[in-house]
Amino acid sequence: MEDKNFSLELPWTIEQQLKAYADAKGHTERHEILQQSWGQNRRWLAQMLEFTLAGFPNYSQHNETHCRAVIHNIECLLGEAEIHRLSPTDCFTILMTVYLHDVGMCITDADRGRIIQSKEFVDWIEQMEQSTDSEYVNAIKALKQVSYKFQKTDNTVETKENYQKLYVQKMEVFYALSFLISEQQRKHHAEIAAERMNQWVDDPAGLRNGFSMTGIPDRVFLMISQCAALHGISNLEDVMSLLMQLPECDNGFAQDFYHPRFAAALLLIGDALDIDNQRFHPFAQQQAGRLFNKQSEMHYRKHHAIRALQITPERIYIRADCQDPSEMRQLRTEVNWLQEFIKECSYQWAKIAPGNFCGCLPVVDFERISLGGMPMSERLVQAQFRLSQEKAFRLLEGVSLYNNQYVYLREMVQNAADAVKFQYWNDLDAADLDTTADIDLCR
């Protein structure tokens, strides 16, 4: 028999808070516009984000699944009490900022043309061609190849076989271009997302009514683009500088106020916390093929290593068991950045959070990390041996080891003499063994 007194309690969300304003007694038309605009824009942006897979098949998911995870992280970070304090325009701004921030990962035909023809791309190719990363070097080699081993003959069968070999070589160019273009787009995807929002504001007719800005001031959308652009900056000092340049508070749309710094900070934290081990679709490796490179594999294992992830208004609790030192260091680096960013924001929290907020940012608990099931100390996790490429080559060249630049000739002759002596000794030793064997047989 059904228990009529039973009620299922679900956590309060930012979307529910926005809808509650639109449904509340005494609400205005502006509350409804914010709610309706968000509903339409969410569907439109979600469809757009599905195209990220085409340009980044070797990356973790950056579609709506990622956006929902980021929003969930923000909601866990705030807690229900603080979500209830969000203004209507704050709710709208936070949700829109999250859904916009990775739109720049949708690579258009214009993006490809811009990248290939840019001086930045040419300079970057020359730089990476000298790198020690074999994936970049091989991709650039395939991209620059201008001659192919192909010979057309009168034999139809042989000609077809030659064409097949040619097609395989051309496929390498496809993989190379896909990889290099995606790497260039990734570096700028946050600012590209902001530029697209700005273009939509300037020319809304170009969106074919898919994106809703009806009645809402352009300045709100332009501010959302600035909030989304911040997540593409890795240098902590630059991030904090730009964050504090955003307005602390501004007039909202529904007779309220909203807080751009707050929305931008929440995006950065929520995005950094999307480290759970469901970021890669099981079909990702098969779809990406050779584009699923060593870097992709490392990121896949990094996410797969997560064993515990708890986000509350008081504490962020993370535990991981990595299988490789590289993924362990990468995870430690990312969490370190998050810890430092939260610390810096905590110092400025009174100038970031809305004035009616009672809470503060949580502490990050990530002091335990394992490597193959074995707990690792913080010092061992962070330990690295670094030597710049320039110094390494100078060392190999013998700089500061010899006073005379021609000493290498003496070294080569000495090495050759040592090799001859070593080989002579081995031959002599082998001859002695053969003689002994002969004597034993005679006996």
Side-chain angles (χ1 to χ4, degrees):
M1 183 177 180
E2 183 179 355
D3 185 1
K4 295 182 179 180
N5 296 322
F6 175 78
S7 62
L8 185 64
E9 295 185 3
L10 296 175
W12 193 249
T13 67
I14 298 175
E15 285 184 292
Q16 287 176 320
Q17 179 72 4
L18 181 60
K19 187 175 186 302
Y21 281 115
D23 295 340
K25 185 178 179 180
H27 73 274
T28 68
E29 182 183 15
R30 294 192 172 196
H31 293 98
E32 294 182 7
I33 290 175
L34 281 174
Q35 165 66 15
Q36 292 167 3
S37 179
W38 160 242
Q40 182 170 338
N41 291 342
R42 173 188 170 181
R43 289 187 292 272
W44 194 83
L45 289 171
Q47 292 173 354
M48 189 174 181
L49 287 168
E50 291 301 321
F51 291 99
T52 57
L53 180 62
F56 296 86
N58 57 321
Y59 275 67
S60 56
Q61 296 184 85
H62 286 82
N63 54 10
E64 188 178 21
T65 302
H66 171 56
C67 293
R68 302 310 301 174
V70 173
I71 291 173
H72 174 70
N73 292 342
I74 292 173
E75 290 165 345
C76 292
L77 188 77
L78 294 176
E80 292 190 24
E82 304 300 335
I83 293 176
H84 279 291
R85 294 188 175 92
L86 291 173
S87 71
T89 311
D90 266 330
C91 293
F92 181 79
T93 302
I94 293 169
L95 295 170
M96 284 293 303
T97 299
V98 172
Y99 266 70
L100 175 70
H101 81 285
D102 276 338
V103 163
M105 294 185 72
C106 302
I107 304 180
T108 64
D109 181 65
D111 290 331
R112 298 186 191 96
R114 170 184 54 78
I115 290 172
I116 291 297
Q117 298 176 43
S118 68
K119 181 179 182 300
E120 179 188 0
F121 183 73
V122 175
D123 293 341
W124 178 67
I125 289 294
E126 290 182 0
Q127 175 188 348
M128 297 308 298
E129 194 172 16
Q130 305 302 322
S131 74
T132 56
D133 192 322
S134 60
E135 291 177 338
Y136 282 101
V137 173
N138 292 336
I140 294 170
K141 181 180 178 181
L143 181 63
K144 287 190 171 184
Q145 185 173 349
V146 294
S147 61
Y148 297 91
K149 295 180 180 179
F150 177 75
Q151 183 178 0
K152 190 174 181 180
T153 66
D154 295 333
N155 188 317
T156 304
V157 175
E158 186 176 350
T159 299
K160 287 183 177 181
E161 291 178 351
N162 285 331
Y163 270 122
Q164 288 175 338
K165 295 176 182 178
L166 178 65
Y167 300 155
V168 170
Q169 295 179 71
K170 295 282 185 154
M171 179 66 78
E172 296 300 324
V173 180
F174 165 76
Y175 281 117
L177 268 175
S178 299
F179 170 61
L180 295 171
I181 287 176
S182 67
E183 287 299 295
Q184 275 292 294
Q185 185 85 355
R186 180 185 62 84
K187 292 194 298 182
H188 302 290
H189 79 276
E191 58 191 79
I192 292 173
E195 289 172 5
R196 285 179 179 166
M197 173 64 85
N198 296 340
Q199 290 170 2
W200 299 340
V201 172
D202 292 338
D203 184 20
L207 298 176
R208 299 181 181 177
N209 300 321
F211 193 80
S212 173
M213 296 184 291
T214 306
I216 303 174
D218 291 349
R219 62 180 172 83
V220 174
F221 292 98
L222 294 175
M223 191 59 64
I224 288 170
S225 72
Q226 291 185 52
C227 294
L230 279 186
H231 92 281
I233 303 172
S234 58
N235 183 276
L236 186 59
E237 184 177 347
D238 293 340
V239 170
M240 290 305 302
S241 175
L242 292 172
L243 178 67
M244 299 310 292
Q245 290 178 31
L246 295 174
E248 176 183 350
C249 182
D250 197 11
N251 281 342
F253 176 62
Q255 292 83 43
D256 61 350
F257 298 96
Y258 79 111
H259 306 80
R261 289 180 190 171
F262 185 60
L266 291 179
L267 168 65
L268 286 162
I269 297 173
D271 189 37
L273 283 172
D274 193 16
I275 57 175
D276 215 342
N277 50 23
Q278 90 294 356
R279 283 296 304 275
F280 282 83
H281 191 277
F283 191 64
Q285 286 180 275
Q286 297 180 48
Q287 198 272 340
R290 274 175 284 178
L291 288 175
F292 203 89
N293 51 30
K294 294 178 181 178
Q295 191 73 3
S296 303
E297 182 66 29
M298 190 269 290
H299 279 285
Y300 172 82
R301 294 198 310 267
K302 178 195 69 179
H303 285 285
H304 189 68
I306 299 298
R307 294 295 178 266
L309 178 61
Q310 183 187 49
I311 306 170
T312 70
E314 295 78 27
R315 184 178 73 148
I316 298 171
Y317 176 84
I318 305 171
R319 292 292 178 269
D321 184 12
C322 301
Q323 301 303 313
D324 185 85
S326 61
E327 69 197 63
M328 181 179 65
R329 285 192 295 268
Q330 179 69 25
L331 185 60
R332 178 71 264 185
T333 300
E334 293 179 6
V335 175
N336 278 350
W337 188 94
L338 177 63
Q339 287 176 315
E340 291 302 314
F341 179 70
I342 289 179
K343 184 190 300 182
E344 292 296 324
C345 285
S346 297
Y347 297 149
Q348 306 281 350
W349 195 236
K351 298 179 181 180
I352 295 176
N356 63 335
F357 264 50
C358 300
C360 58
L361 289 173
V363 296
V364 180
D365 181 357
F366 187 55
E367 301 306 320
R368 286 174 52 196
I369 184 171
S370 300
L371 180 62
M374 180 179 297
M376 302 293 292
S377 68
E378 179 70 13
R379 291 182 178 180
L380 289 178
V381 172
Q382 297 288 65
Q384 293 187 63
F385 177 77
R386 294 183 178 179
L387 183 64
S388 70
Q389 183 174 341
E390 180 183 356
K391 289 183 178 180
F393 278 118
R394 285 172 62 84
L395 184 62
L396 292 174
E397 291 168 357
V399 175
S400 299
L401 294 181
Y402 304 109
N403 295 325
N404 191 312
Q405 60 179 329
Y406 297 109
V407 173
Y408 76 94
L409 292 173
R410 185 191 67 193
E411 292 294 325
M412 291 179 64
V413 172
Q414 184 62 52
N415 289 339
D418 291 341
V420 170
K421 292 177 182 178
F422 184 74
Q423 186 61 46
Y424 178 76
W425 173 260
N426 284 339
D427 292 343
L428 182 61
D429 190 48
D432 290 342
L433 289 175
D434 290 341
T435 302
T436 305
D438 292 341
I439 295 174
D440 289 340
L441 288 174
C442 292
R443 289 178 181 176

